[in-house]
Amino acid sequence: MELIDVLDEKGEKTGQILSRKDVHAMGLWHKAVHIWILNSKGELLLQKRSLQKESNPGQWDISVAGHLSAGESSIDGAKKEIYEEIGLEVENTELILIGTITQSSLHKNGSYINNEFNNVYILKKDIDPASVKLQAEEVAEIAFIPLESLKDRVLEKDNTLVKHDTEYQLLFNYLDTQND
């Protein structure tokens, strides 16, 4: 059972620690990490969520993402999720924090309420998707796509993508400033 620190609406720990299931059932605020992997060709790694996932099964999503366990730092959580989901070990210095966003969404007819503070990271790394060991219960497949293709798909409101409007804007703004 995964235990999670409960946060208030400002993102501060309340001192309460509950199971992930209870946090989502009650719609309590908590922290997660999102990591976008960018290769040297300017392509972003997307993951297709496992059909077993409670939220957005079978949709294309952020390279790697996950909840922070109780007491876990954001950077340690990011490294843990990268290793768990795609079997890649990275150093703290490889992860670039580009911002924190809030996300609220309902799933499963309102029985799964997701209220998160997401620390968003960029990991600039060339990896071969064919050599990656995927965590089957989390990730069905992965693929790199050009940044411009992702921008087009977001603009077209492609329903095969998980909806992350604020996060896509943060990501695109960050990457656009890096190319100037």
Side-chain angles (χ1 to χ4, degrees), residues 66-157:
H67 293 81
L68 289 186
S69 297
E72 186 172 46
S73 73
S74 176
I75 198 89
D76 286 342
K79 288 169 46 179
K80 174 192 75 178
E81 291 297 334
I82 294 166
Y83 183 75
E84 285 178 0
E85 291 189 9
I86 61 173
L88 189 65
E89 291 187 34
V90 300
E91 299 296 322
N92 292 9
T93 55
E94 293 180 273
L95 292 163
I96 304 162
L97 180 65
I98 64 168
T100 301
I101 60 162
T102 57
Q103 175 184 6
S104 292
S105 57
L106 296 173
H107 304 276
K108 299 178 83 171
N109 295 320
S111 64
Y112 183 95
I113 307 162
N114 196 33
N115 288 319
E116 289 181 341
F117 287 88
N118 298 311
N119 284 348
V120 181
Y121 291 92
I122 295 279
L123 171 63
K124 295 179 181 179
K125 199 161 196 78
D126 288 322
I127 61 172
D128 176 8
S131 68
V132 171
K133 184 178 185 320
L134 302 179
Q135 184 181 22
E137 56 276 6
E138 296 282 334
V139 183
E141 65 182 283
I142 59 173
F144 276 104
I145 69 164
L147 173 61
E148 292 306 316
S149 294
L150 180 59
K151 285 180 177 181
D152 290 344
R153 289 173 68 180
V154 168
L155 197 60
E156 295 163 2
K157 302 201 180 303

Side-chain angles (χ1 to χ4, degrees), residues 143-177:
F144 276 104
I145 69 164
L147 173 61
E148 292 306 316
S149 294
L150 180 59
K151 285 180 177 181
D152 290 344
R153 289 173 68 180
V154 168
L155 197 60
E156 295 163 2
K157 302 201 180 303
D158 180 341
N159 65 2
T160 67
L161 290 175
V162 175
K163 190 174 187 226
H164 292 296
D165 294 343
T166 304
E167 184 161 345
Y168 291 133
Q169 198 57 56
L170 174 71
L171 174 68
F172 299 155
N173 288 344
Y174 174 81
L175 293 176
D176 287 345
T177 63

